[in-house]
Amino acid sequence: MSTFAPEWLALRERADADARAVGLVDRLREIHLNRAPLVVRDLGCGTGSLGRWLAGRLGGPQHWVLHDRDPRLLSIAAATLSGVTVETHEGDLTALTAADLAGTSLVTASALLDLLTADEVDGLAEACVGAGCPALLTLSVAGRVEFDRADPLDGAFEAAFNAHQRRVVDGRRLLGPDAADVAVAAFERRGAAVTTCPSPWRLGPEQAALAAEWLRGWVGAAVEQEPRLADAAPDYLRRRLDTGPRVVVHHTDLLAVPR
């Protein structure tokens, strides 16, 4: 699985916070959660931005168990989550079982599902449902981008980027934009009640730095997947950057609750 620079995670934190579906947190409040204290496992926690957004909304005493493969990110997350107790686990999070989740009140993740394979998402659903543990899985890429002004090459770059998100990495076929649908099916097969909500980034002048960095990465991934776009990419990128990209980048949030 990929690791991400702390600078990129910091740049996107505000947009992530603005995008997440607050309604799913409201739904969580209606569910009886074991609060002695509430034990939350954050998978692929990065620098802890989801914890900083969610902990105050959950309320009450909480213990957060942070999972990530990058020790730098784990140290930042542990140092910046306030008002809760924290422990960290470095390493692969794709092999967690129901036994590993025993005593967990809630599993969370942000921008994780699209980096997993179908088998890994199936395993996650099996672990959560087996442990009777709700899962709040946010900001999975949806494969749709809407610019305020259309360009003839938008479709070609979007298709190439989505193919890049579904690429094979070290023998693993990533789900990319299919992740949310695969997760819904995996949880529902096990009898969980699943609710999804859109969680789009809405990037404009107030998020100009993020919009530009996202655009460069989006175009770069598309060209990596489809080298035939390389000749067109510089002019396309310049046109988009010159107008200060206003763009909606679609994501999906998901709440799965074992019955």
Side-chain angles (χ1 to χ4, degrees), residues 164-226:
H164 184 269
Q165 294 292 95
R166 297 182 176 105
R167 70 195 184 280
V168 176
V169 179
D170 297 330
R172 299 168 59 251
R173 170 72 68 180
L174 307 186
L175 284 170
D178 304 319
D181 288 343
V182 170
V184 169
F187 278 100
E188 288 184 340
R189 278 197 305 273
R190 293 165 172 83
V194 181
T195 306
T196 62
C197 286
S199 52
W201 278 356
R202 300 184 185 277
L203 306 182
E206 72 286 353
Q207 292 280 18
L210 174 60
E213 189 67 18
W214 167 82
L215 182 63
R216 292 186 184 98
W218 189 73
V219 169
V223 170
E224 182 179 317
Q225 183 69 26
E226 292 288 351

Side-chain angles (χ1 to χ4, degrees), residues 19-33:
R20 291 191 180 99
V22 177
L24 296 185
V25 181
D26 295 338
R27 173 75 180 103
L28 271 176
R29 295 195 189 98
E30 301 170 1
I31 300 167
H32 175 71
L33 295 175

